[in-house]
Amino acid sequence: DLLDLPMPSDDRARAVAERLRADPADARTLAAWGRAVGAGERTLMRAFTAGTGLTFHQWRTRARILAALPRLTEGVAVAAVAPTVGYATASAFGAAFRRVLGTTPSAYLGSGHPSARQ
């Protein structure tokens, strides 16, 4: 399920994942996260892939989109939601949304998808 966000089993990767779920706009690189949790960048990269089936970047993008959905369903404009989940522009957010869910935010919200009515 595209709306599922698996958590890594590795303690260090899980710590990163939990912090990103709390603050999806945090733009730290994987190397910076590694320094924060005491792991190398490559170790974290492998831990995310092994524990979630997603690369770190795929996981973070999905986490950001999932964090945005409740606000979008409340009718908050994409341009207002985008920076709260780590995107500089509405178009960058729209592109990421399309990569994850295969459609634009407005089309998704108008589709009647169950998660669009949370």
Side-chain angles (χ1 to χ4, degrees), residues 9-42:
S9 53
D10 178 89
D11 290 341
R12 296 160 300 182
R14 180 176 282 278
V16 172
E18 288 170 353
R19 291 180 194 172
L20 283 170
R21 287 191 66 171
D23 180 11
D26 191 317
R28 277 184 264 188
T29 65
L30 197 53
W33 279 115
R35 289 189 295 277
V37 299
E41 178 179 8
R42 290 171 54 101

Side-chain angles (χ1 to χ4, degrees), residues 2-3 65-66 69 96-104 108 115:
L2 294 174
L3 295 176
I65 299 306
L66 291 175
L69 283 176
F97 194 99
R98 202 167 18 261
R99 276 194 310 276
V100 172
L101 295 174
T103 189
T104 64
Y108 182 83
S115 67

Side-chain angles (χ1 to χ4, degrees), residues 48-73:
F48 262 91
T49 304
T52 69
L54 302 167
T55 67
F56 170 74
H57 296 288
Q58 290 169 328
W59 190 95
R60 178 164 57 187
T61 299
R62 191 177 290 186
R64 287 175 167 178
I65 299 306
L66 291 175
L69 283 176
R71 298 210 50 224
L72 292 171
T73 60

